[in-house]
Amino acid sequence: MNTPIVTGNYYKEREGVLKVALELNSHGYVFRETPNGDIGIDGQIEHNNEKGEATGKIVAAQIKSGNSYLVDKGDHFAFYPKEKHKNYWSIFPLPVILFVYYPSDGEIYFTDVRYQLNIPNKKHTYIVIDKKSTLNSVSAKDIFETTGTLDIPYYSIDQVFSIMINTVCQNPTFHISYLDLFTQGLTNLCRHVYFSMDLALTIAKFNNETEFGLSIGFTEHEFLHHYIKFLMSQNLATINYSDYLIDWKERELEPTFISPLTIRGRELLEFIKKTEDSFKTELPPTTLVRERYIAMRFISQDDIMRLNLGKKLREIIKKPND
């Protein structure tokens, strides 16, 4: 009979999608399979908390099924994507989680492929999938790692303010609070918040009333890291946490960013101003809700040389066309 033939490859790919969907469903996550043409993304996954409440944490899913997709490299697998998919996944607006169903052992392996593709000077040309990264009850939350923290409760604005003003680094030479970092980082007409190590150091130096210089180590860096996670957990600013983690985890640097405030972030600013008004007679005649200007300073001899280099390079390249 002359009718379309359903090949074994169809069933193999569907097996992977169905197994991933079933596993996600068992953990209470919402999987929305792409209903129309699949051009590199098979669906979206939304995280729900223990109460069943949707958290708004969403990742994209790309699902492959078959032993041929993974090359055994000893302690990890290698996945070799097509160039068009690498380009597409690297610029996708959501984290892209690659799931590979591996019939040889019945496991579903996964990794954040967008995260890996955006690591500068990464060690391997292929996508690394750790053999320990299998989809199960313990690892399920790891799918959402680059969307921000999931274990901090959502607080009201007055509670957020109270936590931020009372959460202070215990190092007396690095005596700064979440509220210090947030308000002193306001910029661009208070529409954005800036964060960097230089901001933290400036605040710490001003607050340091000890006879010692600044002392910065693991605890202080963790304090700053938890500040960022708090901003995200309370939806105060739109932070590209995946990009943040590349500096934090891969490059072992304290990240720098400027991120727009959300509606809740602006609500916090209004709450801060009202709080200031209630203590107006006891406070200096200014406000925390005020932008600070950010500038890239050209102060060293090398800065001037680089300016000159750019000018000279432009002149040299333009000459043949004159």
Side-chain angles (χ1 to χ4, degrees):
M1 187 168 65
N2 187 19
T3 61
I5 297 174
V6 182
T7 67
N9 188 59
Y10 168 82
Y11 294 107
K12 183 190 295 183
E13 289 297 331
R14 288 305 299 167
E15 182 179 19
V17 172
L18 293 172
K19 283 185 177 293
V20 169
L22 182 62
E23 190 68 33
L24 294 171
N25 187 72
S26 70
H27 299 307
Y29 299 152
V30 177
F31 176 60
R32 304 183 185 96
E33 189 172 354
T34 303
N36 298 316
D38 170 16
I39 54 173
I41 299 296
D42 289 307
Q44 292 185 356
I45 308 165
E46 181 167 1
H47 178 268
N48 294 335
N49 62 23
E50 290 78 5
K51 298 178 181 178
E53 299 168 332
T55 62
K57 305 289 187 182
I58 298 175
V59 299
Q62 176 63 51
I63 304 170
K64 299 294 184 183
S65 181
N67 297 327
S68 62
Y69 285 107
L70 299 180
V71 178
D72 197 325
K73 296 287 187 177
D75 63 341
H76 66 274
F77 290 113
F79 176 86
Y80 293 88
K82 295 178 180 178
E83 192 66 24
K84 61 182 179 181
H85 287 141
K86 287 171 63 177
N87 296 335
Y88 186 59
W89 293 336
S90 68
I91 62 172
F92 203 74
L94 295 173
V96 179
I97 309 301
L98 171 67
F99 297 93
V100 182
Y101 171 58
Y102 196 56
S104 286
D105 58 15
E107 297 284 4
I108 300 168
Y109 296 92
F110 69 91
T111 188
D112 188 329
V113 67
R114 187 188 71 166
Y115 177 85
Q116 285 202 43
L117 289 170
N118 282 294
I119 296 174
N121 305 315
K122 65 191 191 77
K123 184 178 179 181
H124 301 290
T125 57
Y126 53 80
I127 300 301
V128 175
I129 302 183
D130 194 315
K131 289 185 176 180
K132 296 178 182 178
S133 294
T134 59
L135 186 58
N136 53 52
S137 58
V138 176
S139 66
K141 282 188 176 182
D142 295 342
I143 295 169
F144 299 94
E145 180 185 11
T146 57
T147 66
T149 185
L150 301 171
D151 55 359
I152 300 177
Y154 207 54
Y155 299 106
S156 63
I157 289 297
D158 60 323
Q159 290 174 317
V160 168
F161 174 80
S162 178
I163 291 170
M164 293 182 76
I165 201 169
N166 286 298
T167 303
V168 181
C169 184
Q170 295 306 300
N171 179 350
T173 73
F174 200 77
H175 199 66
I176 60 179
S177 70
Y178 284 2
L179 192 68
D180 291 330
L181 291 164
F182 182 73
T183 55
Q184 301 305 328
L186 293 173
T187 190
N188 190 23
L189 300 177
C190 295
R191 289 186 57 248
H192 291 73
V193 63
Y194 168 76
F195 174 81
S196 73
M197 194 62 187
D198 74 285
L199 173 67
L201 290 175
T202 299
I203 298 170
K205 287 177 182 176
F206 180 82
N207 290 344
N208 185 8
E209 297 181 353
T210 75
E211 58 185 297
F212 307 104
L214 297 183
S215 173
I216 305 170
F218 175 82
T219 301
E220 290 67 42
H221 284 289
E222 282 294 308
F223 176 85
L224 297 176
H225 184 50
H226 284 288
Y227 159 70
I228 302 305
K229 294 203 294 185
F230 184 81
L231 290 187
M232 294 193 65
S233 71
Q234 302 309 307
N235 192 23
L236 299 176
T238 305
I239 299 170
N240 185 339
Y241 193 57
S242 180
D243 184 67
Y244 173 95
L245 284 177
I246 288 175
D247 277 346
W248 176 255
K249 290 177 61 176
E250 310 300 332
R251 306 175 73 193
E252 298 183 347
L253 298 172
E254 195 67 62
T256 296
F257 62 80
I258 301 175
S259 295
L261 296 184
T262 62
I263 293 175
R264 271 175 60 86
R266 294 193 292 274
E267 287 177 359
L268 177 59
L269 298 188
E270 291 301 316
F271 185 87
I272 291 171
K273 287 194 288 187
K274 289 179 180 178
T275 302
E276 290 176 343
D277 287 343
S278 63
F279 297 101
K280 184 174 292 185
T281 58
E282 304 171 49
L283 295 173
T286 184
T287 176
L288 289 175
V289 185
R290 177 169 294 168
E291 70 171 348
R292 295 179 61 251
Y293 297 105
I294 300 171
M296 296 187 71
R297 297 179 296 171
F298 294 82
I299 55 177
S300 71
Q301 183 61 33
D302 183 65
D303 292 335
I304 306 304
M305 288 176 64
R306 290 176 65 239
L307 284 171
N308 190 47
L309 186 153
K311 179 180 178 182
K312 293 294 184 183
L313 183 62
R314 184 177 71 250
E315 293 172 351
I316 293 170
I317 293 176
K318 284 181 63 177
K319 279 183 181 179
N321 300 321
D322 291 341

